[in-house]
Amino acid sequence: MATNKNKVSETVIRRLPKYHRYLSELHEKGEDRISSQELSDLTGFTASQIRQDLNNFGGFGQQGYGYKVTVLKEELENILGISTVYKTIIIGSGRLGSVISNYRGFLESGFEIVAMFDRDEKVVGTTVGNHVVKSIDDLESYLEEHKEVTVAILTVPKEGAQAIAHRLEACGIRGIWNFAPEDLDAMEGVIVENIRLTDSLLTLSYYLTEEDR
Amino acid sequence: MATNKNKVSETVIRRLPKYHRYLSELHEKGEDRISSQELSDLTGFTASQIRQDLNNFGGFGQQGYGYKVTVLKEELENILGISTVYKTIIIGSGRLGSVISNYRGFLESGFEIVAMFDRDEKVVGTTVGNHVVKSIDDLESYLEEHKEVTVAILTVPKEGAQAIAHRLEACGIRGIWNFAPEDLDAMEGVIVENIRLTDSLLTLSYYLTEEDR
């Protein structure tokens, strides 16, 4: 476990979910152990890169033996905090919010959706997914009463995102999963993880266009 | 425009959509020009980084003047191929496929959804978004008749993703926007751009958990 107090780089962190994904598959297949070379063949990262990445957290492998699948999988789950369940609210009950609320990867990843908010009077009180949509006007009073909620998912239009983020910050929310195409201001004590659909599409467009040049 | 034939690194490419996003905002606000320092304040990248990035494509700025907003915006649109419209199909008409088909960023980014496929007999023939869902059995014959289709969006479960990708490759599809949580094999002539929701969630989980340690 992360006894190493040095900051691990974000590039390394972003490879960990991928390692975990493959370890879970190996585990399902009943594999007992795996070498860093085999992990390299699966993931496309070099064996030395993989060993280096894992050494940030203590190693877990043995020379000539490789990694024990169950052990490495569990260690990755500890590192990624999968077993910690973060109570989560969704802001924005539109199409995307609705899909997200039904996303089965949530609880597996340690996030439990407990409420959903919207600013549109017409949807407040209706049921979306498994949640009765609450008014965004009640955000502060809800979070005051539910101190256990620490994460918010933003599926609001670009225009409203920053203001909502600041309200969430003021309420002590610690993490935001942001789908709004807006770069949120840095907020003290709030970790922002962005999903940038349009940026991703434009990257694909770039590579397609580059081939045509 | 990308007259520079040297390969530009992916890291640079992935910053271009962000530049474009800010240039579009400045354009909407009626701003005439912007310095690399002002762009730096907006984007969080250093001014020198921004100049370097843009120099890969010819520069566009003038010492002491900065960048003309309309010009830089248009140049970025050329580089990103936004004005080229790629005819696109969606494979998977479930919740995510349905949201994606309604995503308003598509045409703005140069992608036009022209058809939707599913393997579930029960949904084939029904209307999802603006599309009557076709059977995945008809994928090859459809693409044979519609050579103008070059991009596919995969919103199928993990299990089916790789097989579908190979069928798309065989049909000459050039780009895949992949939402399935599966690393697709490298395919010749196919550009794959992944959206990894679970990996992103686990990264957020890591940072939240790290704070608690």
Side-chain angles (χ1 to χ4, degrees):
Chain A
M1 288 201 293
T3 45
N4 187 334
K5 284 288 172 193
N6 295 324
K7 263 271 198 249
V8 181
S9 84
E10 186 180 330
T11 320
V12 176
I13 303 307
R14 291 196 179 274
R15 284 194 286 263
L16 301 179
K18 187 162 176 173
Y19 295 141
H20 178 257
R21 194 145 35 86
Y22 281 101
L23 265 301
S24 299
E25 280 177 27
L26 292 164
H27 182 67
E28 273 171 37
K29 286 183 191 153
E31 300 286 339
D32 187 43
R33 57 174 167 154
I34 186 156
S35 67
S36 48
Q37 186 52 54
E38 289 164 318
L39 261 178
S40 163
D41 296 340
L42 286 173
T43 60
F45 308 129
T46 68
S48 116
Q49 180 73 79
I50 293 169
R51 285 192 300 269
Q52 257 182 51
D53 285 355
L54 297 174
N55 277 340
N56 282 300
F57 303 95
F60 321 122
Q62 276 177 42
Q63 186 93 45
Y65 177 91
Y67 300 94
K68 202 160 164 58
V69 169
T70 49
V71 172
L72 185 52
K73 174 171 170 285
E74 275 172 33
E75 290 291 356
L76 284 166
E77 281 164 10
N78 289 334
I79 293 166
L80 291 168
I82 292 179
S83 51
T84 312
V85 175
Y86 294 99
K87 304 268 186 192
T88 301
I89 57 173
I90 299 185
I91 318 278
S93 70
R95 287 202 176 94
L96 184 58
S98 154
V99 170
I100 293 290
S101 77
N102 283 293
Y103 180 52
R104 56 184 170 167
F106 268 122
L107 210 51
E108 288 167 31
S109 306
F111 295 84
E112 183 192 353
I113 310 293
V114 293
M116 193 176 224
F117 293 83
D118 206 291
R119 65 172 176 187
D120 183 353
E121 293 290 319
K122 279 179 292 221
V123 299
V124 170
T126 65
T127 301
V128 171
N130 299 313
H131 302 280
V132 176
V133 179
K134 297 179 196 302
S135 167
I136 193 69
D137 295 342
D138 299 332
L139 181 67
E140 280 78 6
S141 60
Y142 176 87
L143 289 175
E144 179 62 37
E145 274 170 47
H146 296 84
K147 295 280 188 197
E148 72 278 13
V149 174
T150 47
V151 175
I153 300 172
L154 274 193
T155 62
V156 300
K158 181 183 169 66
E159 295 68 32
Q162 185 62 70
I164 295 282
H166 280 305
R167 287 172 65 182
L168 292 166
E169 177 192 25
C171 292
I173 286 290
R174 291 176 49 207
I176 295 179
W177 203 35
N178 177 39
F179 283 77
E182 173 79 11
D183 294 318
L184 303 177
D185 296 345
M187 291 169 284
E188 199 154 338
V190 185
I191 298 154
V192 177
E193 171 72 16
N194 296 301
I195 293 282
R196 297 243 173 272
L197 295 178
T198 304
D199 287 11
S200 170
L201 260 187
L202 289 182
T203 303
L204 179 58
S205 177
Y206 171 87
Y207 283 112
L208 288 167
T209 306
E210 191 193 32
E211 288 185 339
D212 293 334
R213 283 201 176 97
Chain B
M1 288 200 295
T3 44
N4 187 335
K5 284 284 174 196
N6 296 324
K7 261 265 194 252
V8 181
S9 85
E10 187 180 329
T11 321
V12 176
I13 304 308
R14 290 196 179 275
R15 284 195 286 262
L16 300 179
K18 188 164 175 172
Y19 295 141
H20 179 256
R21 196 146 34 85
Y22 281 100
L23 265 301
S24 300
E25 280 176 27
L26 292 165
H27 181 67
E28 273 169 39
K29 286 183 193 155
E31 299 286 337
D32 186 44
R33 56 173 166 155
I34 186 158
S35 67
S36 47
Q37 186 52 53
E38 288 164 318
L39 261 179
S40 163
D41 296 340
L42 286 173
T43 60
F45 308 129
T46 66
S48 118
Q49 179 73 78
I50 292 168
R51 285 192 300 267
Q52 256 181 50
D53 285 355
L54 296 175
N55 277 340
N56 281 301
F57 303 94
F60 322 122
Q62 275 177 45
Q63 187 93 43
Y65 177 89
Y67 300 94
K68 202 161 163 59
V69 170
T70 49
V71 172
L72 185 53
K73 174 171 170 283
E74 274 172 35
E75 291 290 355
L76 284 167
E77 282 165 9
N78 288 335
I79 294 165
L80 291 167
I82 291 179
S83 51
T84 313
V85 175
Y86 294 100
K87 304 266 185 193
T88 302
I89 57 174
I90 298 185
I91 319 278
S93 69
R95 281 183 222 273
L96 185 58
S98 154
V99 170
I100 292 292
S101 76
N102 284 293
Y103 180 53
R104 55 184 170 166
F106 268 123
L107 209 51
E108 287 166 31
S109 306
F111 296 85
E112 182 191 354
I113 311 293
V114 292
M116 193 179 225
F117 292 83
D118 205 292
R119 64 173 176 187
D120 184 352
E121 293 290 320
K122 279 180 294 225
V123 299
V124 170
T126 65
T127 301
V128 172
N130 299 315
H131 302 280
V132 177
V133 179
K134 298 179 195 300
S135 167
I136 192 71
D137 296 343
D138 299 331
L139 181 66
E140 280 78 7
S141 60
Y142 175 87
L143 289 175
E144 178 62 36
E145 275 169 48
H146 296 84
K147 294 282 189 198
E148 72 280 11
V149 174
T150 47
V151 175
I153 300 172
L154 274 192
T155 62
V156 300
K158 180 183 168 67
E159 295 70 31
Q162 185 62 69
I164 295 283
H166 280 304
R167 288 171 65 182
L168 292 167
E169 177 192 23
C171 292
I173 286 290
R174 292 175 48 206
I176 295 179
W177 204 35
N178 178 39
F179 283 78
E182 173 79 10
D183 293 319
L184 303 177
D185 297 344
M187 290 169 286
E188 200 154 338
V190 185
I191 298 155
V192 178
E193 170 72 15
N194 296 301
I195 293 282
R196 297 243 173 273
L197 295 178
T198 304
D199 287 10
S200 169
L201 259 187
L202 289 181
T203 303
L204 178 59
S205 177
Y206 171 86
Y207 284 113
L208 290 166
T209 307
E210 191 192 36
E211 287 185 339
D212 294 334
R213 285 202 175 97

